[in-house]
Amino acid sequence: MLVLAGVYLAVARLGLSLATVGGNVSPVWPPTGVALAALVLRGPVLWPGVFLGACLATLSTGVPPTVVLGVATGNTLAMVLGALLTRRLRMDADLSRIRDVVILCVGAGAVCTGVSSLIGPLCLFWGGVLPWAQMSHAVWVWWVGDMMGVLVVAPPLLLLSRPAWPARLGEALALSGLTTVLGVGIFLFRNSQPGLAHAASFLLFPISALAALRFGPRGAGLATLAISSVAIVGTVRGQGPFSSGNVAQDLLVLQLFIVINAVTGQLLAAASEERRRAVERLQLLATTVRGVHEGVFIAEVVGQGRLRTVFANEALSMLLGRPPEEMVDQDPCLLYGDQDPRLSQRVHSALVAGESLCVEVTVPRRDGRIVSTEVLLSPVRATGGDVSHFVATHRDITATKELQARLVAAERVAAVGTLAAGVGHEINNPLAYLVLNLESASRALAENGMMAMRDVQTSVRGALEGAERIRLIVRDLQVFSRQGDQERSLVDLNALVPPAVRIISHALRHRARLVEEFGPVPKVLGSEARLGQVLLNLLVNAMQAVPEGNPSLHEVRVRTSTDVTGRARVDVVDTGVGIAPQVMSRIFEPFFTTKSSGEGTGLGLAICQQIVRTHGGDLEVRSEEGKGSVFTMYLPAAPVQVEVPPRPVSRSKVPMPSTGRRGRVLVVDDEPRLAQSMRLLLEPYHDVVTATRGQDALALVAAGNRFDVILCDLQMPEIDGAALFRRLGVMAPELIERVVFISGGAYTAETRSFIETVQNLVLEKPVRPEVLMASVDAALAALDSREEDEREPVVARAGGARH
């Protein structure tokens, strides 16, 4: 405080030496800048030093003590207010932002100095030092002097508080020398031509601008201080372009020149510094974006819902297998190829509305491989108004999706495995009387009599019933154990409940009654296997919540209905142990389980929730400890409730045709007993040839054998049904339309894709005898129809020749 008071007094004596109003008011008042810089840098707590220095300086002019206290209070109050304002508005002392320069010039300068310029002259008037006639002029001169101190003295002191040598020292010294020489030449020599001196003074503006641009706020502040010092000295001595013989008036005009030069230099320096920092941030951002592992592109909005890529980083280039220059200037939507129309609509809506969007898309690489990515699309409003750009980040989630698929498959197997004993029991019952009936038929045939034939028929019918029961059980298991079934179709939840109930019924009968309650429910668009897995998991979860031993006291109920919003609703209700409140919030967390080791993985409910959400639905739970739980699955109704088949292919019973022509049939199946069974079934009506390998079938065709119908198994070692079909297309193209496939289940993605694309009939094992025979007859009828159509033009041409 004492040092501040001493410095304030020293520079105040210098300012008072240039006083132009009553020896007390000076247009040059550097103490204001000294005080403001000290209070900004060290805090307003130093105000006693300012007050003491102002008292000593004012006392030296010989005014009464009351006037001294009033003037010192005004000067101190103005600077304290200026320091508080700059802190309140968070002005940086380095003046590297335009807002900092505006706060200093307007807030601490123009506004706060108005306090001292009003209080000071009023105190001088009340003390009888200043006549009222000079009051307005004194206020103006006082305010100009304080402004000069704030704009000329304060910036260098603020900036020099953190001393640093300029990076270009030689250039700085040269510019300082040029400024000094030019200032001395303009202000410290008498000029016989005032017009030429005024014109020369404008050369100082580009010098200040150069200092601001090359050395920032520090250079602008020092250049302004140097020019101002030389200009004040020269003007007081009656030299320079602003000298007219009236020093008081000349100094006021000079202050206008100095203020304009100071403000211009500081604003230009701040703008240059902001631009430099913006460029540095942009370079840092560009380097960061180029180096991140996630793919990033930046697209410019060029129209309503239209984009143009302006930047793509290396990670995106590696993700898509395309060079960055190939993606720039292109519509980024072309990178995604054909997508689900609903997804395309969501993206378009986000672009039009200027909203963020996070979606999962599959992107085709140039090499043909499909990559799953999570895309976060974010709008950029560069000017604070309309959206000018979009930034999209791509995260490769291919491995994550594969892991999720494996977890889903593992949980599906775990759910079916939990019921393995019950399913085995359900198969063993019909299998037992299947075996017994076949054994009875075999013994009856050995007796070789009419009575024996009736017994044989009865036994065979019983065997067929047992086989049919086993077929239904296997079909139910296939619904819940399909791997990777993502195909969406219309699913009837009322038809999906019975298979799940049949699978779990044997395991549940020792714990609770199982009740099915069907209501009107809309069809949903989804994966039958995935939704069946959710239903089965919820039933297994309900079964495990019910203790064993009292099935008459407990109940598991499956209820279907439609909620008030039109969504399909499935409730799985149990009267088990319920869920504790502290556990309820975590039941959908992966790997969280309250079951003992070996009874659960903690993935079941998490995967159920994931599957339901991917179908656009919700999975909710209500539970009361000791009274049971209710799991409710909501699914949106499909937009169209009637499914139109993509192609006329039947996998069920084929109607019996009217033709009974005998044909030549090739049976290809790697299971010899099954091939032999089909031969025995068909041989009374057709000529049948069997082959147990794809190579053998191709060899028969290569040897010149032609067949009317080819019954081909899809799953075979070495050459499977799809490979055999493709080779037939090369060897004997006319045969590929005559192939009827028999599938025991599409276990690979290639087989599933082949079944969906091939136009031939596909029968599911086990094929019922009447279906197999009808399929062969239908294929023969279709063949005869095609041959008849091909003969008609020939007959027509022959008839035309006879006429």
Side-chain angles (χ1 to χ4, degrees), residues 270-307:
S272 175
E273 192 68 14
E274 284 188 347
R275 180 181 178 279
R276 181 186 66 80
R277 291 183 178 179
V279 170
E280 288 180 353
R281 286 196 296 268
L282 183 61
Q283 291 175 345
L284 176 62
L285 177 62
T287 303
T288 303
V289 170
R290 289 190 183 98
V292 296
H293 295 296
E294 295 183 353
V296 178
F297 76 73
I298 302 174
E300 179 185 11
V301 178
V302 295
Q304 191 73 3
R306 295 179 56 245
L307 300 175

Side-chain angles (χ1 to χ4, degrees), residues 416 419-428 473 477 502-504 506-507:
V416 175
L419 307 171
V423 172
H425 188 277
E426 289 295 309
I427 293 178
N428 280 335
I473 293 172
L477 285 174
R502 283 196 296 267
I503 289 179
I504 199 173
H506 182 78

Side-chain angles (χ1 to χ4, degrees), residues 743-759:
S743 172
Y747 300 109
T748 65
E750 293 79 11
T751 305
R752 288 193 298 272
S753 176
F754 177 76
I755 291 177
E756 293 299 325
T757 56
V758 73
Q759 296 298 314

